[in-house]
Amino acid sequence: RGKPVKQASGYTMANVDETAWCACFVNWCLLEANESPARGATAKGYIDWGRNLEQAGAITVIYREPFGDSSSGYHVGFLIGGKPEEGYLALLGGNQNNSVCRKWFVGIERKNVWQRWPA
């Protein structure tokens, strides 16, 4: 086993392998687009990142009661469909069924949805 290679985010998979990695995926996408990611590797870190913009493609943070797939209850991905104001939305994100994929989230209260865009 060699020495872990750090990416520009400062985190290695050894830091996040056994935890939720949705924010690591968003960080990687932003770095590939020459944008600055939120500080750290948490979904919650994106709540105040950038500026508010409610549209498809926005980095979207949701909160729901913690259960098996999230110890914090927070999740982040890119909005690709649905109506967040009505409590259902689809995200393209990491750590969704242990992969990068599209996933629907339903029953999310509007107060628990944050949509962000690079400043």
Side-chain angles (χ1 to χ4, degrees):
R1 250 174 122 155
K3 183 178 176 183
V5 177
K6 285 192 175 187
Q7 296 296 324
S9 68
Y11 289 87
T12 67
M13 285 307 293
N15 298 120
V16 296
D17 188 38
E18 297 300 323
T19 61
W21 51 272
C22 57
C24 290
F25 173 70
V26 172
N27 288 355
W28 178 82
C29 291
L30 288 168
L31 290 168
E32 288 294 305
N34 293 316
E35 294 286 347
S36 296
R39 184 171 169 83
T42 67
K44 192 175 180 180
Y46 278 95
I47 288 176
D48 294 321
W49 175 89
R51 62 186 171 96
N52 186 54
L53 184 64
E54 298 179 2
Q55 73 173 36
I59 293 171
T60 302
V61 178
I62 62 170
Y63 176 80
R64 57 209 161 103
E65 286 300 313
F67 61 101
D69 68 346
S70 172
S71 60
S72 72
Y74 289 92
H75 184 65
V76 65
F78 297 92
L79 181 70
I80 58 171
K83 294 186 177 182
E85 67 278 6
E86 294 181 17
Y88 67 96
L89 57 150
L91 298 180
L92 172 66
N95 202 37
Q96 298 181 162
N97 300 326
N98 205 29
S99 66
V100 173
C101 65
R102 296 173 291 179
K103 184 173 180 180
W104 281 97
F105 296 88
V106 297
I108 308 295
E109 294 182 52
R110 180 63 187 116
K111 68 179 184 172
N112 293 330
V113 176
W114 298 266
Q115 292 174 268
R116 311 301 296 172
W117 200 262

